Amino acid sequence: MHGRVEAPHSNRRDFENLRKLSTYLFEYRGRVLLALGCLIVSKLAIVSVPFILKSIVNTLDTGDTGDTSGVLLIALGFVAAYGALRIASSLFTELRDSLFSRVRYHAMHTLSTRVLSHLHELSLAYHLERKTGSISRDLSRGTSSLSSIANLLVFNIVPTAAEFLLVAAILLGGYGWQYTAVVFVTVGLYVFFTLKFSGWRMQFRHEMNRLDSLANGRAVDSLLNYETVKYFGNEKLETDAYDAHMNDWADAGVRSQVTMSTLNFGQAALVSIGVTGIMLLAARDVAAGVITLGDIVLINAMMLQLFVPLNMLGVVYRGLQYALADMDLVLRLLERTPEIRDREGAIELVVENARVEFDAVHFAYLAERPILKGVSFTVEPGQKVAVVGPSGSGKSTLSRLLFRFYDVDQGSIRVSGADIRTVTQASLRRALGVVPQDTVMFNDTIRYNLAYAEPGIADDAIADALARANLEGFVTQLPQQLDTVVGERGLKLSGGEKQRMAIARVILKDPPIIVFDEATSSLDTRTEQSILEGLNAVARRATSLVIAHRLSTVVDADEILVLDAGVIVERGTHESLLADSGLYADLWQLQQGSDVDETD
């Protein structure tokens, strides 16, 4: 989706997309049928108007100078009928729009909700690769394009087709095949030219969409990484990159406009030739006495009614093509199969004993770069097991696999005796809590972010969790306290404050199994010590898997696993590992030295 040129879409794909979109309208099919009924009544009324005009002209053109009052009275009756038909046409057009509005907005609502739900179902791998800005723009275009497609089909294409058939039938029945032939040839050439030329020039619209997504994605990325941009003084770099994308987008827009102007001229020329042909035939027949002056008024009015909307058909068709191109991005996203799915017949996880088992687990993000190589260990109920090791050894991958953000390549992970691939993801994650390394907050209040673990929880419970996470003093000093907004991604909080928020949040959830993934990595030594008691209190009430960089946080663990290059190279208690004088002892000595430096 990102960074590649989409080929012009075939009609087969467009028809497939239209079929898929029709399912969003099916729920309100009764309203759709009523709207179409109003459409038919409206078109019958507007097509009847030329007949009234013919009657008015023929009545006034009788040449009878006798009873002028009677002629005038009849003419006034036809004028009244003319006004009534135009009012009826307008009334049923507005009724059609009103009836269809609920269908259209409901379809937009349903599609938007489905897309968001689907994005949540896609795996972590997809979200790590995506560009948020590009996807948000694609979603915006896709959702609005659904409304455009529905409007164009129901309010433009179908009414124009219905009016064309009515006019063709009237001309064939009342004036002969020559008139009908001119109309059919003109419309046929018009449609052929529009479809062919518009199909060719769609490549420029696709290119504009691609460049628009790239530019928007770059802008959003630079704003999300505002601090990094400022750290390195790269404001000009980001602006120049955005400017380059927008410059290419403007060039593609110029090409799109030039080809559109060419298309508009060709369509106008075909319509003008067709109308001229019809009027030549009408003028000939009036001169020959075959038809009346009223007939030529009727034919002229019909041509105006037909070719005015037909002249807009090119714009409508292009709008439909653009909308289908935009919608295709969303439909392709919906077609993407989530990599991690519940198996058919997956059961609810029931945690009878909070045992966690990794059994000969192999895993690689990329096949050529294995991360875990046959890792096996067990965390017994109520135990605290720590995993330590150098950066890049695969420690945090254990957490992602346990939460089933990825599936293992070989081996298995069991919780309470059940392979996590056989239970529902929702029930698995209900049983797990996490204090992540990088705690990201919603751009909402402290209360909202803490209660996210247990929506609707009372403030008393929140206050208790804040106290246990050593965060109570910080919150009470804030002017708005729990109602303080933390900023986008928690930008207004320090790293340590965000991690203590995460600790408070997991205290509120109170799950049977907790993963501490580098839970104190953003804390200085003094702050770390002040909250270790709270962490340990939480850990004592649950089975705990502690992924740690700072060894000082795991000295009391029941078992410490030393992971290096995806393999457990040592295991034991803190004392036994120090006595072995292996990798753990080396890491301990290094960190003890750095801690001394930090407190100097």
Side-chain angles (χ1 to χ4, degrees):
M1 180 181 297
H2 311 296
R4 69 174 188 271
V5 179
E6 297 283 353
H9 299 174
S10 65
N11 285 334
R12 172 179 293 183
R13 177 71 194 188
D14 288 345
F15 287 134
E16 180 185 343
N17 287 345
L18 288 173
R19 180 185 60 79
K20 291 178 180 178
L21 294 180
S22 66
T23 61
Y24 292 95
L25 309 177
F26 188 73
E27 184 176 344
Y28 285 92
R29 54 191 176 277
R31 279 180 173 267
V32 173
L33 291 175
L34 281 174
L36 290 176
C38 290
L39 164 66
I40 292 171
V41 173
S42 172
K43 286 303 170 186
L44 287 173
I46 202 67
V47 168
S48 299
V49 167
F51 287 96
I52 299 299
L53 289 174
K54 171 187 173 180
S55 299
I56 293 172
V57 171
N58 285 341
T59 299
L60 297 175
D61 191 43
T62 56
D64 185 2
T65 57
D67 186 12
T68 56
S69 60
V71 171
L72 182 59
L73 187 62
I74 294 172
L76 288 174
F78 284 128
V79 170
Y82 170 85
L85 285 172
R86 296 198 70 88
I87 290 173
S89 175
S90 177
L91 172 64
F92 282 99
T93 297
E94 297 305 322
L95 283 174
R96 175 202 66 185
D97 293 356
S98 299
L99 285 168
F100 198 74
S101 63
R102 180 168 292 276
V103 181
R104 178 161 53 93
Y105 287 114
H106 174 78
M108 292 173 66
H109 164 214
T110 303
L111 178 62
S112 299
T113 305
R114 183 183 171 194
V115 169
L116 180 61
S117 176
H118 187 72
L119 282 170
H120 281 296
E121 291 174 2
L122 294 177
S123 71
L124 179 63
Y126 170 80
H127 287 280
L128 291 176
E129 294 172 0
R130 69 178 180 150
K131 288 189 175 180
T132 306
S134 298
I135 285 197
S136 65
R137 182 60 63 90
D138 292 342
L139 292 180
S140 174
R141 281 200 303 256
T143 304
S144 61
S145 66
L146 173 59
S147 174
S148 299
I149 290 169
N151 283 341
L152 292 171
L153 286 175
V154 175
F155 300 155
N156 296 98
I157 295 177
V158 173
T160 301
E163 192 165 350
F164 168 72
L165 292 175
L166 284 172
V167 169
I170 292 168
L171 291 176
L172 181 63
Y175 299 96
W177 65 270
Q178 291 179 324
Y179 290 88
T180 308
V182 172
V183 171
F184 267 95
V185 169
T186 302
V187 172
L189 289 174
Y190 182 94
V191 171
F192 177 80
F193 173 73
T194 299
L195 295 181
K196 285 294 183 181
F197 199 88
S198 295
W200 169 76
R201 65 176 298 275
M202 276 301 293
Q203 59 186 304
F204 303 114
R205 178 66 178 192
H206 285 296
E207 180 69 1
M208 285 184 68
N209 282 354
R210 184 184 72 85
L211 293 168
D212 183 41
S213 292
L214 283 175
N216 190 68
R218 185 62 186 249
V220 171
D221 281 350
S222 69
L223 293 174
L224 289 176
N225 293 283
Y226 172 85
E227 289 184 69
T228 304
V229 174
K230 288 294 184 181
Y231 287 149
F232 292 94
N234 278 336
E235 295 90 341
K236 188 174 186 304
L237 175 68
E238 294 298 325
T239 304
D240 287 348
Y242 179 77
D243 180 67
H245 288 316
M246 290 304 295
N247 185 62
D248 292 340
W249 173 83
D251 290 342
V254 171
R255 290 192 292 270
S256 179
Q257 180 59 51
V258 169
T259 54
M260 185 174 71
S261 297
T262 305
L263 176 61
N264 287 340
F265 174 74
Q267 291 168 337
L270 287 171
V271 169
S272 298
I273 292 170
V275 172
T276 301
I278 287 287
M279 295 312 295
L280 285 173
L281 290 175
R284 179 201 65 185
D285 289 344
V286 168
V290 176
I291 61 176
T292 66
L293 189 60
D295 286 311
I296 198 171
V297 171
L298 181 150
I299 293 170
N300 184 63
M302 279 192 172
M303 290 305 98
L304 289 175
Q305 287 183 189
L306 176 61
F307 282 117
V308 167
L310 189 61
N311 193 42
M312 294 298 296
L313 191 59
V315 176
V316 169
Y317 175 73
R318 289 193 300 276
L320 182 61
Q321 286 285 76
Y322 294 163
L324 285 170
D326 293 340
M327 177 57 63
D328 192 64
L329 296 171
V330 173
L331 292 180
R332 288 179 188 273
L333 174 63
L334 290 173
E335 289 167 4
R336 186 180 180 114
T337 303
E339 292 87 344
I340 307 299
R341 291 182 292 175
D342 289 343
R343 289 182 179 179
E344 186 175 348
I347 61 174
E348 293 287 304
L349 174 64
V350 178
V351 182
E352 296 176 348
N353 57 78
R355 178 184 290 108
V356 177
E357 301 168 82
F358 279 68
D359 185 5
V361 170
H362 291 258
F363 178 76
Y365 296 107
L366 300 173
E368 64 273 14
R369 186 170 174 262
I371 300 298
L372 299 178
K373 308 167 187 176
V375 171
S376 296
F377 65 89
T378 300
V379 188
E380 295 293 344
Q383 267 195 338
K384 176 180 179 180
V385 172
V387 181
V388 301
S391 297
S393 59
K395 303 188 299 296
S396 292
T397 298
L398 297 174
S399 171
R400 290 176 171 181
L401 292 175
L402 179 58
F403 274 84
R404 210 183 163 211
F405 293 153
Y406 300 89
D407 276 335
V408 300
D409 296 330
Q410 295 179 43
S412 64
I413 301 174
R414 294 185 292 276
V415 172
S416 194
D419 189 320
I420 62 174
R421 290 169 294 190
T422 66
V423 301
T424 63
Q425 296 174 71
S427 65
L428 169 66
R429 290 165 191 158
R430 277 198 301 269
L432 301 173
V434 64
V435 180
Q437 177 181 6
D438 182 19
T439 303
V440 177
M441 298 281 127
F442 292 94
N443 189 8
D444 210 307
T445 63
I446 290 176
R447 177 187 286 104
Y448 176 86
N449 278 284
L450 291 176
Y452 199 76
E454 198 69 34
I457 198 165
D459 281 359
D460 290 345
I462 293 176
D464 178 63
L466 288 173
R468 292 167 63 188
N470 195 30
L471 202 59
E472 187 177 33
F474 164 73
V475 173
T476 55
Q477 290 174 5
L478 297 172
Q480 294 178 292
Q481 299 189 0
L482 287 176
D483 293 318
T484 302
V485 176
V486 301
E488 189 167 0
R489 299 173 65 86
L491 190 64
K492 296 180 181 179
L493 302 178
S494 69
E497 288 160 355
K498 285 194 289 185
Q499 283 197 309
R500 281 181 282 174
M501 288 272 288
I503 293 167
R505 191 157 57 186
V506 83
I507 289 171
L508 288 170
K509 185 176 182 181
D510 194 23
I513 300 166
I514 300 178
V515 177
F516 297 95
D517 187 358
E518 308 276 13
T520 61
S521 62
S522 294
L523 306 179
D524 58 71
T525 303
R526 182 175 299 176
T527 305
E528 175 188 78
Q529 293 300 323
S530 70
I531 68 168
L532 275 179
E533 184 179 345
L535 273 176
N536 291 334
V538 175
R540 280 194 294 271
R541 298 170 57 184
T543 299
S544 304
L545 177 63
V546 181
I547 297 163
H549 171 70
R550 287 189 175 176
L551 305 187
S552 58
T553 63
V554 298
V555 294
D556 63 337
D558 296 293
E559 184 179 28
I560 299 173
L561 311 175
V562 183
L563 197 64
D564 188 22
V567 178
I568 296 176
V569 294
E570 298 176 38
R571 64 174 73 205
T573 62
H574 173 68
E575 291 77 10
S576 66
L577 289 172
L578 286 180
D580 290 341
S581 300
L583 178 58
Y584 181 85
D586 292 341
L587 292 172
W588 176 261
Q589 291 299 324
L590 286 171
Q591 290 191 12
Q592 287 299 103
S594 64
D595 287 344
V596 170
D597 293 339
E598 185 179 314
T599 56
D600 284 346

